[in-house]
Amino acid sequence: MKSNLRNALILFMFLAALVALPPAFAQQTTPAEVKIDAKIFDAYTGQYRDPQLPDVVLSFFREDDKFYVQLTGQDKVEIFPSSESTFFLKIVEAKVEFVRDPATRKVTSVILTQGGVPHTGTKVADTPARDGRVPFVRREAMIPMRDGVKLFTVILAPEKQDGKLPIIMERTPYGVAFQNSNAVNGRKPELIKDGYVFVYQDIRGRYKSEGEFMMNRPLRDPKDPKGVDESTDTYDTIDWLLKNIPNNNGRVGMMGVSYPGWLAAVALVDPHPALKATSPQAPMVDTWMGDDFFHNGAFRQSYGHEYVFEMESAKDGASFSMNGEDGYDYYLKFRSLGELTQKLGGKLPTWNAFVAHPTWDAYWQARAAQLYIKHASVPTMIVGGWWDQEDLFGPLALYGALEKSDRENHVSLVMGPWNHGGWNGSGTTLADVSFGSATGKYFRENIQAPWFAYYLHDKGPLKHAEATMFRSGSNEWKEYASWPPRKEATPRNLYFREGGKLSFEAPQKKVAGDSNSYISDPASPVPYRKRPIEGTYDPRGSRWRTWQAQDQSFNNGREDILSWSTDVLDADVTISGDVIANLFASTSGSDSDWVVKLIDVYPDKNDDPKLNGYQLMVAGEIFRGRYLSGFTVAKPIKPNAVNKYEFSIRGNDHTFLKGHKILVQVQSSWFPLYDRNPQTFVENIFLAKPSDYQKATQSVYRTPQYPSNLAVMVAK
């Protein structure tokens, strides 16, 4: 749920963190500073850029005998020489080294190193970039709500304002006190060009706001005139802003990623008349069904534990630490989910809710936004990423819910090759996979900025499709009249066949060995990403944010994963739309998890050696077997009975290129992101005992009677 800062800053993360540096990053050792002739630095002056991050520029320059580096949209930072070609920062432990061409002796690049990890930027200009930031006047306010609670709010208005401007607001549980002119210039340059007043607010009970925080606060009782929820707080805030911000044009837009994305969606419930556009981005819509805390009933253990700890241990947030231990080992030490529950001792309200409400009961349904946000009376642009590690379900579910009543054509959907909030960065790469262009920059400049400008400024005309998708593999933007596409794709099925083959041809006759089996052992669960597994938000760095796009071949050779693959493709195959698993399977236990993954297997030889044999997960999801008959009541599975498990593994718009293979895998654990299924039915897994965890034999069938397959939409 935590919204990333611009992913483009990852390359230069030590500079992005200068404004609010956590103690863990404080410099431990300082290199010896030496005196150099200041003119030596003139050869280093200029702009440097990583080709993968074209919208991020580092400028180096000197002022008399002082040397500086400046990141796009940020303040300059002084650097200090440790030799004639190497420099260091005093505010963080980081090294800067300039590189010359051996033949010409010209400076060609800079190597930036932090935490032992080097990053290279190529010199692209001999003069530093112009500082094009727009100065904003910052103002703080405690805005009263209808029940008397006051919410801390930061208002940023352009210092020079010609005419009346609209307001763009973000509400968040993650703190807004740091928001200033520098921050908004760094994160909203495309919007700043059109002119807005930016407003940021701590929601009730968080950071500097008054009141009590409640995770995903449900809607108030409409019969209670004193009732409040996030929609009423939004309404009251907008009302106050219109009366207290000078020279506003009476129009307000909202946006936000993750939890703030959900808040931008909740604004649609009884919206203020001045709300003219809202963009819920990666909104956490239903945290039991498919977003942060559960997926199809399977509990997201490491994420749920660590996120809830950080949110509810302190009003201003807390840090979770495993003290450098591999997360796989850390969570495996808890012999059952019940032991972890005991350790937490009832101190975290949301964890207590997990224990009290393990099924999709009235508690979770009251928090399922797709059930109570049923109509968009204002223009709504929903944004998501196909490799969102936290909230992929949300944008698709919200779009599906709103589209049913969208007679005014207010609702649109944008999905790209991004992780959680990745559209706010460059979007050129994810893990080791390149998408051939700066997709994030394209979205912000060509989709998001014109959309807000049209509805808040009357700038137009607006060319905006019902569904805008980035098609990975072939790496191109596509527009559709609906999502999933109705005219551009044909339904087909990828069948699991004998000999580990995957085929569009269904099995016609029963053959010997008509199923594949494996032993699922809770004592040795399948890791969900390559070990060591860092904490979700480990301040020293974590691969969590890109895990879904990381190479899946690290699990090759495990006997508790079944695989079916096509031959090498002799032509491109494009899948556009939902992907549905139709899994015919049995277990010797009385409960089971089923994980299904759709993977693009790269050739053994590629132009980029990192992609040799790379396995890119295009779609993947888990289903907890106890909910086969419905999510509101858990029931035991009849041992060794063949059942059909039909569930969405989400979808994508992706081309499997000629020369690649299509691979499908099935397994029964994804640890420690998801808790281990005991494989013995217990009423409440949060209270399970170690003795409940047992090995089970899992079988997947592939006969004419039980034709396990993936239902896909193949582009015409």
Side-chain angles (χ1 to χ4, degrees):
M1 275 184 231
K2 285 189 176 179
S3 177
N4 296 342
L5 301 183
R6 296 181 66 191
N7 288 349
L9 301 186
I10 291 175
L11 177 62
F12 310 121
M13 57 185 290
F14 59 89
L15 290 177
L18 295 183
V19 184
L21 194 67
F25 279 84
Q27 182 156 333
Q28 302 300 314
T29 57
T30 303
E33 182 179 353
V34 301
K35 185 72 174 178
I36 65 171
D37 184 346
K39 293 181 180 180
I40 291 176
F41 198 83
D42 292 343
Y44 309 141
T45 295
Q47 301 175 41
Y48 296 76
R49 175 183 290 147
D50 184 328
Q52 301 299 321
L53 303 171
D55 56 337
V56 178
V57 173
L58 275 179
S59 291
F60 290 89
F61 54 92
R62 73 177 175 98
E63 295 177 357
D64 298 325
D65 59 351
K66 292 187 175 182
F67 315 115
Y68 295 94
V69 58
Q70 186 169 25
L71 181 69
T72 304
Q74 300 296 317
D75 287 336
K76 64 184 180 183
V77 177
E78 188 173 2
I79 59 177
F80 304 87
S82 55
S83 74
E84 289 190 348
S85 61
T86 59
F87 298 76
F88 64 94
L89 282 75
K90 292 184 177 180
I91 194 167
V92 289
E93 189 172 0
K95 175 184 175 183
V96 177
E97 180 179 5
F98 293 96
V99 179
R100 294 178 182 269
D101 182 285
T104 65
R105 301 304 299 161
K106 289 186 176 180
V107 176
T108 57
S109 60
V110 63
I111 300 174
L112 312 165
T113 304
Q114 185 194 26
V117 180
H119 305 283
T120 301
T122 301
K123 192 172 188 181
V124 295
D126 291 329
T127 56
R130 183 182 65 85
D131 188 351
R133 288 178 291 175
V134 174
F136 282 78
V137 176
R138 186 180 187 277
R139 169 187 170 197
E140 295 181 359
M142 293 295 291
I143 299 180
M145 301 294 102
R146 63 189 63 183
D147 63 347
V149 168
K150 295 179 180 179
L151 304 186
F152 177 75
T153 308
V154 174
I155 301 165
L156 296 168
E159 192 174 280
K160 296 180 180 179
Q161 183 173 329
D162 296 326
K164 296 181 177 181
L165 293 181
I167 298 165
I168 287 184
M169 178 169 67
E170 293 187 28
R171 306 182 66 244
T172 178
Y174 301 126
V176 302
F178 71 93
Q179 296 287 359
N180 56 25
S181 181
N182 217 34
V184 75
N185 271 278
R187 295 172 194 167
K188 299 285 192 289
E190 297 85 6
L191 293 175
I192 285 175
K193 292 177 183 178
D194 289 313
Y196 296 96
V197 175
F198 294 94
V199 173
Y200 300 90
Q201 185 179 73
D202 289 335
I203 63 174
R204 63 172 59 218
R206 294 294 291 171
Y207 290 83
K208 293 188 175 184
S209 283
E210 299 173 353
E212 179 184 358
F213 171 70
M214 182 184 295
M215 188 84 73
N216 297 115
R217 184 182 298 273
L219 293 186
R220 71 196 186 283
D221 182 350
K223 298 178 183 178
D224 181 4
K226 297 182 180 180
V228 295
D229 56 29
E230 298 297 353
S231 73
T232 64
D233 286 353
T234 303
Y235 190 105
D236 295 348
T237 299
I238 292 175
D239 209 55
W240 187 95
L241 294 174
L242 295 175
K243 297 171 183 176
N244 290 275
I245 293 181
N247 295 321
N248 74 79
N249 73 353
R251 299 184 187 186
V252 178
M254 286 194 67
M255 63 188 304
V257 177
S258 196
Y259 201 119
W262 169 68
L263 294 166
V266 172
L268 292 168
V269 179
D270 190 20
H272 193 286
L275 183 67
K276 301 301 182 183
T278 186
S279 181
Q281 303 183 357
M284 43 178 293
V285 167
D286 188 333
T287 57
W288 194 97
M289 195 62 70
D291 284 321
D292 298 271
F293 298 142
F294 296 81
H295 279 209
N296 295 317
F299 176 57
R300 283 160 61 93
Q301 176 177 261
S302 58
Y303 184 83
H305 173 217
E306 294 166 35
Y307 176 78
V308 170
F309 178 90
E310 296 192 1
M311 287 289 286
E312 296 182 344
S313 293
K315 182 181 179 181
D316 294 346
S319 294
F320 173 83
S321 175
M322 296 183 293
N323 297 316
E325 186 175 3
D326 183 346
Y328 186 95
D329 294 329
Y330 176 87
Y331 285 99
L332 202 58
K333 286 190 304 186
F334 298 100
R335 297 174 299 163
S336 69
L337 192 58
E339 288 193 345
L340 179 54
T341 297
Q342 290 176 355
K343 175 182 179 291
L344 295 176
K347 298 177 181 178
L348 303 176
T350 298
W351 189 278
N352 296 341
F354 297 155
V355 178
H357 305 279
T359 65
W360 195 57
D361 61 10
Y363 176 90
W364 295 110
Q365 291 175 36
R367 290 159 172 77
Q370 79 275 21
L371 299 184
Y372 63 76
I373 304 177
K374 299 180 179 179
H375 182 69
S377 58
V378 301
T380 302
M381 178 175 65
I382 302 166
V383 182
W386 290 121
W387 284 274
D388 190 321
Q389 74 281 8
E390 296 173 21
D391 297 303
L392 172 56
F393 176 88
L396 299 174
L398 182 63
Y399 173 75
L402 294 178
E403 186 59 23
K404 294 175 182 177
S405 64
D406 188 28
R407 293 178 293 275
E408 303 95 336
N409 266 343
H410 280 328
V411 183
S412 60
L413 177 67
V414 180
M415 298 289 293
W418 305 308
N419 60 350
H420 196 59
W423 46 94
N424 288 319
S426 171
T428 306
T429 62
L430 195 61
D432 290 324
V433 180
S434 172
F435 303 113
S437 64
T439 64
K441 184 178 178 66
Y442 178 91
F443 163 75
R444 297 191 305 275
E445 287 186 344
N446 298 285
I447 300 175
Q448 178 171 268
W451 187 83
F452 274 114
Y454 181 80
Y455 291 111
L456 301 183
H457 276 291
D458 285 331
K459 290 184 179 180
L462 177 66
K463 183 180 180 297
H464 189 77
E466 170 74 18
T468 304
M469 304 284 151
F470 184 85
R471 180 176 290 175
S472 50
S474 59
N475 294 343
E476 55 185 328
W477 286 98
K478 305 291 289 185
E479 294 183 347
Y480 299 95
S482 65
W483 189 262
R486 299 188 186 98
K487 298 179 180 179
E488 296 88 350
T490 303
R492 298 192 66 183
N493 297 77
L494 277 166
Y495 293 95
F496 307 175
R497 299 295 299 273
E498 62 274 9
K501 293 295 184 181
L502 188 67
S503 173
F504 284 111
E505 301 296 325
Q508 300 299 317
K509 60 182 180 179
K510 189 172 182 179
V511 296
D514 56 4
S515 66
N516 298 90
S517 301
Y518 58 95
I519 302 296
S520 174
D521 184 359
S524 180
V526 179
Y528 80 99
R529 57 182 167 105
K530 190 174 182 180
R531 300 177 62 185
I533 295 173
E534 311 89 357
T536 303
Y537 299 117
D538 193 322
R540 295 166 297 182
S542 174
R543 292 169 294 171
W544 158 254
R545 291 178 173 85
T546 62
W547 81 266
Q548 292 188 142
Q550 291 165 17
D551 186 4
Q552 296 293 301
S553 66
F554 71 93
N555 272 327
N556 284 357
R558 285 193 66 115
E559 295 183 354
D560 51 0
I561 301 177
L562 299 179
S563 299
W564 292 268
S565 173
T566 64
D567 293 329
V568 174
L569 298 176
D570 57 10
D572 293 353
V573 175
T574 297
I575 291 176
S576 296
D578 296 339
V579 179
I580 307 297
N582 295 301
L583 193 67
F584 292 89
S586 67
T587 175
S588 63
S590 52
D591 197 1
S592 179
D593 285 350
W594 301 103
V595 177
V596 179
K597 301 179 293 186
L598 174 64
I599 295 171
D600 185 343
V601 181
Y602 285 59
D604 290 336
K605 291 186 178 180
N606 290 272
D607 293 338
D608 183 351
K610 293 194 299 295
L611 296 178
N612 290 347
Y614 200 92
Q615 295 182 7
L616 172 66
M617 183 167 64
V618 174
E621 191 55 284
I622 189 171
F623 185 93
R624 184 142 285 178
R626 58 176 46 216
Y627 298 111
L628 180 61
S629 300
F631 292 115
T632 58
V633 179
K635 296 179 180 179
I637 300 170
K638 183 179 179 180
N640 301 312
V642 180
N643 291 298
K644 181 182 180 181
Y645 298 90
E646 181 177 354
F647 57 99
S648 172
I649 66 170
R650 308 308 155 216
N652 211 316
D653 197 350
H654 178 80
T655 297
F656 297 83
L657 296 173
K658 177 181 178 181
H660 289 221
K661 296 180 183 179
I662 304 174
L663 173 69
V664 173
Q665 292 186 331
V666 176
Q667 60 201 56
S668 290
S669 51
W670 233 359
F671 186 77
L673 176 55
Y674 294 91
D675 71 309
R676 296 167 297 147
N677 193 311
Q679 302 181 157
T680 301
F681 182 81
V682 293
E683 290 293 335
N684 189 338
I685 295 179
F686 285 92
L687 303 177
K689 302 183 299 296
S691 59
D692 295 324
Y693 291 75
Q694 300 292 330
K695 294 181 182 180
T697 299
Q698 315 287 77
S699 299
V700 177
Y701 295 81
R702 41 176 175 72
T703 66
Q705 182 182 5
Y706 301 128
S708 294
N709 65 84
L710 292 188
V712 298
M713 300 289 291
V714 178
K716 297 177 181 179

